[in-house]
Amino acid sequence: MASSEVKTSTSTAHLTLSNKTIELPVLQGSLGPEAIDVSKLYSQTGMFTYDPGFTSTASTESAITYIDGDNGVLLHRGYPIEQLAERSSFVDICYLLLNGTLPTQAEKGDFFQRITRHTMVHDQVNRFFTGFRRDAHPMAIMVASVGALSAFYHDSTDITDPEQRLLASIRMIAKMPTLAAMAHKYSVGQPFVYPQNGLDYASNFLRMCFAVPAEEYRVSPVFSKALDRILMLHADHEQNASTSTVRLAGSSGANPFACIAAGIACLWGPAHGGANEAALKMLEEIGTPDRIPLFIEKAKDKNDPFRLMGFGHRVYKNYDPRARIMQQTAHEVLNALGASDDPLLEVARELEHAALKDGYFIEKKLYPNVDFYSGITLRAMGFPTSMFTVLFAVARTAGWVAQWNEMIKDPKQKIGRPRQLYVGEPARTLPLS
Ligand code: SDX
């Protein structure tokens, strides 16, 4: 539990205001920056802290994921993402994030067995889909269908019951691929493909997305391995916007399905999980390497809202370790397809090269993030661009449920309710006439 890791530092912070100086405790975690505990600031001073975007604010203690943005480090329960991506699997990471340790063979068998028992959705969920237009964005379908799951699974909505919390977590991990594949099938006018529980997690998802009743579907081992690695890379990432959304929704006591639906809605934004879809569209718009300087200049132009999608990060001021692994995965998939000369990969490489040499990107410490290369890989595997963020949501469900459970179990947990710096009208009287 995170609280066992929190110590009060020997140093304290002193805040001097016009008429007094107060002392604030400094908290020490097991890794990373110390934190000034301002939870009593308002009661002691009548003043708030002000931090739009939470650039300097720790919203919680957590023991799940640690990021060192300056050195490009990402640890899940202490294990570096590079080692996990190389030697474990997405189901291993689901277990690790939830439980704090990697599963033994027996534990993994039981855990995966539980997941496979919950891969189907209630048959009446299928009826939701007929209400959508065929050209509905699959993220819209995911927000709606995941939020609706609480209408079906009443035996896993009591958040005070650890067993029900675990059952809801297992259901979410198990059903997200099924719903994601259904959203894809609905958009291409093909029949839904039911899960096959003899397949591993990634293979099952590929088959539900791409099999058709008219013929046997053989899962490509290269694609299955690549997809499992992509899911691992996207599983969790500390207190990012969508995870913070899940935590805030959960802090009110909302049921787990509603909380995950809120996280999916937040992830959809192009500044967050929607960046993989936006990055691929940007590479397609650039089209050829000779147009790269034009787009670099647009990204640097303060008067132009254009940004290099898949570049920059609130925390990483160095290379996102996931981006390196994503780039390697892109090469593996394209080589397996005999498409290593994919023009978009050449544009991506040239664009990265040009940006990393440019003073603007160097000074602002802007590097490729996890979204920069993922789109090239997913497109090569046959996923439409609109499905890229859906895959991100499937993967991040592992982190969302782990962080949600950690929050519910935190004895210090209370409803999240930020304050504001009011800049509106002072009190005034409503005119009588
Ligand atoms: C994800 O939080 C997470 O952990 C997220 C994530 C996860 O796993 O959950 O890692 C997944 O969301 C990755 C990020 C995907 N988004 C994009 O690739 C969209 C493009 N990137 C930017 O929109 C931006 O970099 C953010 C949103 C990612 C970060 O924005 P910040 O931290 O708020 O930084 P900022 O907007 O204040 O930028 C600092 C400066 C600004 O210039 P100045 O105002 O200081 O002059 O850098 C500039 C920005 O204009 N800048 C960019 C840029 N990103 C930042 N300029 C051009 N292109 C970019 N991509």
Side-chain angles (χ1 to χ4, degrees):
M1 243 326 271
S3 51
S4 63
E5 297 294 342
V6 177
K7 303 185 197 71
T8 302
S9 166
T10 48
S11 59
T12 52
H14 294 86
L15 181 63
T16 301
L17 301 165
S18 48
N19 54 357
K20 66 176 176 180
T21 296
I22 62 166
E23 207 172 84
L24 295 166
V26 174
L27 304 178
Q28 218 169 32
S30 47
L31 286 175
E34 294 186 331
I36 300 171
D37 181 350
V38 294
S39 49
K40 301 281 186 295
L41 181 75
Y42 180 60
S43 58
Q44 288 177 316
T45 68
M47 297 172 92
F48 298 139
T49 59
Y50 180 66
D51 183 15
F54 312 120
T55 52
S56 306
T57 295
S59 60
T60 184
E61 305 164 9
S62 179
I64 298 174
T65 291
Y66 173 71
I67 304 172
D68 174 346
D70 293 332
N71 296 300
V73 172
L74 169 56
L75 308 177
H76 289 315
R77 300 286 190 178
Y79 296 110
I81 188 64
E82 296 86 348
Q83 294 175 21
L84 289 166
E86 182 72 30
R87 297 182 231 155
S88 66
S89 71
F90 178 65
V91 170
D92 287 328
I93 288 189
C94 291
Y95 186 98
L96 173 67
L97 295 175
L98 269 171
N99 298 295
T101 58
L102 283 164
T104 61
Q105 276 306 82
E107 288 165 338
K108 181 174 178 178
D110 293 343
F111 184 64
F112 187 56
Q113 174 67 5
R114 279 199 81 177
I115 290 173
T116 55
R117 307 310 309 162
H118 290 284
T119 49
M120 288 176 68
V121 292
H122 189 293
D123 222 36
Q124 282 176 226
V125 170
N126 296 2
R127 295 189 197 166
F128 277 98
F129 285 76
T130 52
F132 295 111
R133 287 175 32 164
R134 290 281 181 177
D135 62 351
H137 194 292
M139 282 297 277
I141 295 177
M142 293 303 287
V143 171
S145 50
V146 169
L149 291 183
S150 56
F152 293 89
Y153 301 111
H154 302 128
D155 59 342
S156 59
T157 52
D158 175 359
I159 63 167
T160 63
D161 176 350
E163 263 314 301
Q164 291 203 29
R165 291 203 302 268
L166 179 59
L167 178 55
S169 304
I170 296 268
R171 276 178 165 148
M172 284 305 344
I173 292 169
K175 296 180 194 304
M176 282 293 280
T178 307
L179 290 169
M182 289 168 74
H184 171 57
K185 284 302 195 187
Y186 187 74
S187 72
V188 296
Q190 291 179 359
F192 298 147
V193 174
Y194 283 90
Q196 244 185 21
N197 291 341
L199 295 173
D200 64 64
Y201 194 89
S203 301
N204 212 354
F205 182 51
L206 286 168
R207 184 178 168 282
M208 288 190 283
C209 286
F210 299 120
V212 289
E215 60 188 36
E216 275 308 302
Y217 177 78
R218 193 182 69 78
V219 178
S220 152
V222 171
F223 283 15
S224 175
K225 180 168 174 269
L227 180 61
D228 195 70
R229 191 185 302 151
I230 290 169
L231 294 174
M232 284 195 269
L233 295 178
H234 289 80
D236 191 51
H237 214 238
E238 193 205 82
Q239 304 311 318
N240 58 83
S242 54
T243 298
S244 300
T245 301
V246 170
R247 279 179 172 260
L248 196 56
S251 74
S252 75
N255 75 70
F257 304 104
C259 296
I260 301 301
I264 296 170
C266 177
L267 185 75
W268 194 0
H272 189 14
N276 52 20
E277 177 176 350
L280 192 90
K281 286 179 176 165
M282 174 190 73
L283 293 174
E284 287 172 336
E285 188 186 355
I286 294 172
T288 51
D290 62 304
R291 283 164 48 84
I292 287 172
L294 165 70
F295 283 81
I296 292 268
E297 289 315 307
K298 277 172 62 68
K300 291 159 62 175
D301 179 356
K302 281 284 144 242
N303 301 315
D304 189 328
F306 173 78
R307 286 192 166 179
L308 282 191
M309 301 317 280
F311 249 80
H313 199 278
R314 170 63 58 75
V315 178
Y316 289 122
K317 301 308 171 190
N318 198 321
Y319 218 98
D320 181 337
R322 303 168 297 173
R324 288 193 199 289
I325 305 168
M326 270 314 314
Q327 187 183 30
Q328 171 202 328
T329 306
H331 281 294
E332 286 171 11
V333 169
L334 292 170
N335 288 340
L337 289 167
S340 51
D341 58 350
D342 182 327
L344 278 195
L345 182 61
E346 191 201 352
V347 170
R349 274 200 305 245
E350 291 297 318
L351 177 60
E352 175 189 346
H353 184 67
L356 295 186
K357 279 192 318 177
D358 184 286
Y360 173 91
F361 293 88
I362 294 169
E363 183 237 326
K364 294 182 187 299
K365 298 183 179 177
L366 303 173
Y367 290 84
N369 59 50
V370 67
D371 295 307
F372 190 64
Y373 284 103
S374 54
I376 294 170
T377 313
L378 296 173
R379 185 185 75 134
M381 293 169 74
F383 289 104
T385 310
S386 60
M387 278 294 289
F388 294 177
T389 309
V390 174
L391 269 76
F392 196 147
V394 169
R396 188 51 56 90
T397 297
W400 288 334
V401 296
Q403 299 267 355
W404 173 76
N405 277 287
E406 184 182 63
M407 177 207 62
I408 300 278
K409 286 186 286 188
D410 184 345
K412 294 198 201 107
Q413 189 269 326
K414 58 176 73 171
I415 188 166
R417 205 280 186 213
R419 299 303 302 273
Q420 63 179 11
L421 183 66
Y422 179 69
V423 293
E425 292 289 340
R428 51 182 172 167
T429 305
L430 196 62
L432 291 176
S433 56

